[in-house]
């Protein structure tokens, strides 16, 4: 199982994911600068080294330049974080999370409508799959 990463490490991973899962060190520094983050180069190198140790990244030498390649896709990371949050805060109880979102008006009406459409589609595809299995 993957280790948790810090907020700062997450910033670097998002930059790399945004670059299609690859980024040169110079591209990472440029992205941080554009985001108005004034991180020292040693800090960035330390965070990148930690991500390599945690198996989120690997490094590839291109001449004298370093390319950082994601070993974990963003959806995989999101799934890990979702499960971690759900277990930590709600003891794995999905109903508790959803009821909190609904009761506290955290989920806007348009998002709720989108969730309803999603569940309708999932239900239809599940029923279609059951029908195909029955026909075989």
């Amino acid at each position: 199982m993957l280790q948790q990463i810090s907020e700062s490490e997450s910033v670097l991973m998002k930059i790399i994911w945004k670059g299609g899962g690859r980024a040169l060190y110079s591209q990472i520094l440029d992205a941080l600068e554009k985001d108005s983050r004034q991180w020292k180069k040693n800090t960035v190198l330390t965070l990148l080294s930690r991500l390599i140790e945690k198996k989120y990244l690997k490094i590839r030498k291109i001449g004298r330049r370093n390319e950082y390649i994601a070993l974990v896709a963003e959806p995989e990371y999101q799934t890990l974080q979702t499960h971690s949050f759900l277990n930590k805060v709600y003891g794995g109880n999905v109903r508790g999370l959803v009821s909190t979102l609904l009761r506290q008006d955290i989920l806007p009406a348009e998002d709720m409508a989108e969730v309803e459409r999603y569940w309708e589609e999932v239900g239809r595809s599940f029923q279609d799959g059951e029908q195909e299995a029955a026909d075989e």
Side-chain angles (χ1 to χ4, degrees):
M1 182 163 179
L2 291 169
Q3 295 180 44
Q4 292 290 325
I5 62 175
S6 70
E7 186 64 34
S8 296
E9 291 167 340
S10 175
V11 168
L12 297 181
M13 287 303 300
K14 287 177 184 175
I15 291 169
I16 294 166
W17 286 322
K18 191 173 183 182
R22 301 172 171 266
L24 295 170
Y25 176 72
S26 60
Q27 293 171 318
I28 294 168
L29 290 180
D30 289 345
L32 288 169
E33 209 171 277
K34 285 179 188 169
D35 200 24
S36 301
R37 295 184 189 268
Q38 302 299 319
W39 291 2
K40 292 186 177 358
K41 291 181 181 184
N42 283 343
T43 301
V44 176
L45 288 171
T46 298
L47 293 170
L48 289 168
S49 293
R50 287 182 189 163
L51 287 165
I52 291 167
E53 288 173 16
K54 292 177 180 181
K55 308 284 190 239
Y56 278 83
L57 293 177
K58 71 177 181 178
I59 192 169
R60 183 172 74 117
K61 291 278 189 190
I62 304 173
R64 294 178 54 199
R65 301 183 312 168
N66 290 332
E67 180 181 43
Y68 295 89
I69 302 166
L71 296 174
V72 176
E74 189 171 19
E76 182 183 354
Y77 174 72
Q78 291 169 337
T79 299
L80 171 75
Q81 289 303 301
T82 301
H83 284 283
S84 175
F85 173 78
L86 184 63
N87 289 328
K88 191 182 311 178
V89 177
Y90 290 94
N93 183 340
V94 175
R95 186 178 296 163
L97 170 63
V98 172
S99 68
T100 298
L101 292 172
L102 296 174
R103 280 182 304 176
Q104 301 299 320
D105 289 329
I106 296 170
L107 195 63
E110 58 272 6
D111 288 351
M112 185 61 192
E114 186 178 330
V115 169
E116 287 173 354
R117 282 191 301 276
Y118 171 78
W119 282 115
E120 287 172 7
E121 289 174 22
V122 167
R124 278 195 299 271
S125 65
F126 179 74
Q127 288 173 347
D128 291 345
E130 283 185 330
Q131 184 61 46
E132 288 175 12
D135 291 343
E136 292 178 354

